[in-house]
Amino acid sequence: HAWAAEKGRLMSQVAELQSKYDCAVNLAVKEKTGLAAEKAKMSGQLQTSNDQLAQMRSALDATEAAKAALQKQVGDLQEQLGKVQLLKAQDDEEKKRLTASVQELKGQKETKEQEVADLQRQLVGSTCGKLEAMQQEVKQDVWAPPPEETAMQASAV
């Protein structure tokens, strides 16, 4: 009897240990499954982060390329601006030179106009003088008695 009771007690302990073992295995499986799921989730998040990082690197590379292109354009534009400023300076110099030439020509024109005006006054004065002299001669000729009368008057006196 004792043997049967001992066997029953041992069997009960074995069943209890089996139950605890099954429980522990189930917990371990659940934990392992949970860890695997968590690992898969973290792996997915890591892959997403890696993808995002790759996209960011690609965007950064594109940004750097665009920056380099813009810097080249800025350099080209600065070079063109320098050329334009040089041309403007040359144009300004040419404008100053032409303005000086125009002023000189205006001065020459005014001098020539003054000379023409002086010559016109001289010509008018000379012509008027000649006309007055001719007018005096004509008056003397018209009002003067004929030469015979002058001779008679002279002899009468």
Side-chain angles (χ1 to χ4, degrees):
H1 240 6
W3 164 248
E6 186 62 24
K7 183 181 173 187
R9 188 181 65 74
L10 286 176
M11 288 298 276
S12 169
Q13 282 183 346
V14 166
E16 188 180 329
L17 285 174
Q18 184 66 44
S19 172
K20 286 182 179 179
Y21 174 79
D22 289 345
C23 236
V25 167
N26 282 339
L27 281 174
V29 167
K30 282 182 182 177
E31 191 173 313
K32 187 176 180 184
T33 303
L35 286 175
E38 188 66 27
K39 182 181 174 188
K41 180 180 168 187
M42 292 178 94
S43 179
Q45 289 174 344
L46 182 62
Q47 186 58 47
T48 301
S49 294
N50 284 340
D51 291 347
Q52 289 174 341
L53 184 59
Q55 288 174 350
M56 289 175 151
R57 283 189 180 136
S58 177
L60 182 61
D61 290 345
T63 301
E64 288 295 324
K67 180 182 171 186
L70 284 174
Q71 286 174 332
K72 183 184 181 318
Q73 286 179 341
V74 166
D76 292 348
L77 288 173
Q78 286 174 334
E79 183 180 334
Q80 288 176 357
L81 178 62
K83 289 178 183 177
V84 165
Q85 288 172 335
L86 178 63
L87 289 173
K88 185 182 181 310
Q90 290 172 347
D91 283 351
D92 288 348
E93 285 301 314
E94 182 68 11
K95 188 189 250 182
K96 286 178 187 174
R97 191 184 64 72
L98 290 174
T99 300
S101 294
V102 165
Q103 291 298 343
E104 184 181 335
L105 289 173
K106 280 183 180 177
Q108 290 175 3
K109 178 185 172 203
E110 288 172 6
T111 302
K112 293 296 180 190
E113 286 174 346
Q114 188 61 45
E115 288 175 7
V116 166
D118 290 347
L119 288 173
Q120 285 175 338
R121 275 194 295 279
Q122 287 175 4
L123 180 63
V124 166
S126 169
T127 303
C128 284
K130 286 180 184 174
L131 285 174
E132 285 177 6
M134 287 172 62
Q135 193 177 28
Q136 286 303 320
E137 284 179 29
V138 167
K139 279 182 183 177
Q140 286 176 1
D141 287 347
V142 167
W143 297 110
E148 308 88 39
E149 268 186 46
T150 309
M152 284 203 251
Q153 284 178 355
S155 62
V157 173

